[in-house]
Amino acid sequence: MSRGFSSTFLSLLLALSLALAVTATPIVQVRDNFVRLPLAKKFNLTGTHTLLARDQARVKHLNALAKARLAGTPLSSDAVIGVPVDNQAVSYIATVGVGNPATQYDLIVDTGSSNTWVGASRTFVQTSTTRQTRDRVSVTYGSGDFSGTEFTDTVSLGNGLTVTGQSIGAATESEGFDGVDGILGIGPVDLTVGTLSPDTTATIPTVTDNLFAQGIITDDLVSVSFEPTNTVEIVNGELTFGGTDSSKFVGAITFAPITRTSPASEFWGINQSIRFGTSTSILSNTAGIVDTGTTLTLISTDALRRYQRATGAVLDNATGLLRITPTQFANLQSLFFTINGVTFEFTANAQAWPRALNTAIGGNTNSVYLVVGSIGTPTGEGLDFINGQTWLERFYTVFDTGNSRIGFANTPFTTANTN
Ligand SMILES: *[C@@H]1O[C@H](CO)[C@@H](O)[C@H](O)[C@H]1NC(C)=O
Ligand SMILES: *[C@@H]1O[C@H](CO)[C@@H](O)[C@H](O)[C@H]1NC(C)=O
Ligand SMILES: *[C@@H]1O[C@H](CO)[C@@H](O)[C@H](O)[C@H]1NC(C)=O
């Protein structure tokens, strides 16, 4: 079970501990069972079509990865990247320390992969806590790849909290990770199978798994809080290991079991249906995934056609996104996502790409671009949608490994007019 966390309660404890600090020794240490890591949102949009092309390359990769895993065969590299993709376009970055003394690395937070590694920009610095394993490590992503040596080391996550003996990769080669140091992989642990050599059948516990195993957090879960923004770089998110931060969501958390439908079941997958307005069905109940590494909200090709018809949007050649006029936007109805019987409203503002960033993606300032795009395949493939960053910025999400489920809640920003 996840528990709510009251910031008022913390303030109270803090006040109490300060009071105690003056009147008594030793100082009572205030510590809770959560590990909070701030997240920075970073855009790097170079060239046109980047957003959609990159997201679709990622989908192709995730499908290829799942198929290879289910068949027990290696991932064929030609099955992965169909379009040239420069770089990650929009990333959520957490800064974590490795070693003692710790070197700080800026890592992309990725729920669609599970290896944690550093060294893409800043070289890995070994200290007395660093232990080299006998393994080489190599991972391919939709937007690049990395290979290197696997170490174990101490990882610090702020608040003075550290995980010891965390298995991490140190890149000797990487591609597609300019401006960041690597990845903090918080996907299902099985995705690490096959990334080590010679230990090809070994799994690598994620940071969440180790925090739990070492008793630092009491629940094996991580919560993600993103916020919508229209600036290019901002610290406005939070990863909460081991609990939920009640200052970041409103109302109850709805949990949905991990879907049984493959290949979505290999990732953080759920069943969901989508409706436009009061009665236009866009996608009937089907499997897909929730993914911090995808920027847009992607739906199957036939669902996108229905959405395009409902919105009156045209496909914009310059950006690759659907485009509507300000008048159409003024009349745009909400999308409703139903997950395990509970409906979440994705407002008109939520559906719009931040207009201050239109020109950054090759668009013009007078149009409205929609963040709902095509996943590239028709409904029925077992991965028919991705609720990406643009969706996660409107809903609090709990990736609950211990109970094989994902939780969702509204936030103070669910209906915000940002954009
Ligand atoms: C942005 O992407 C371009 C193209 O891949 C890359 O050359 C550049 O270093 C990146 N900039 C940052 C700040 O990440
Ligand atoms: C999800 O939907 C599929 C059919 O689309 C169904 O078989 C399955 O029972 C549903 N629930 C879960 C948790 O997978
Ligand atoms: C769309 O863009 C491509 C290249 O970006 C260009 O070759 C093509 O002529 C454009 N089509 C239209 C209809 O504008």
Side-chain angles (χ1 to χ4, degrees), residues 259-277:
T259 185
R260 281 187 284 269
T261 305
S262 169
S265 53
E266 297 294 305
F267 306 98
W268 286 111
I270 51 163
N271 286 353
Q272 153 183 292
S273 65
I274 308 173
R275 180 183 95 222
F276 180 80

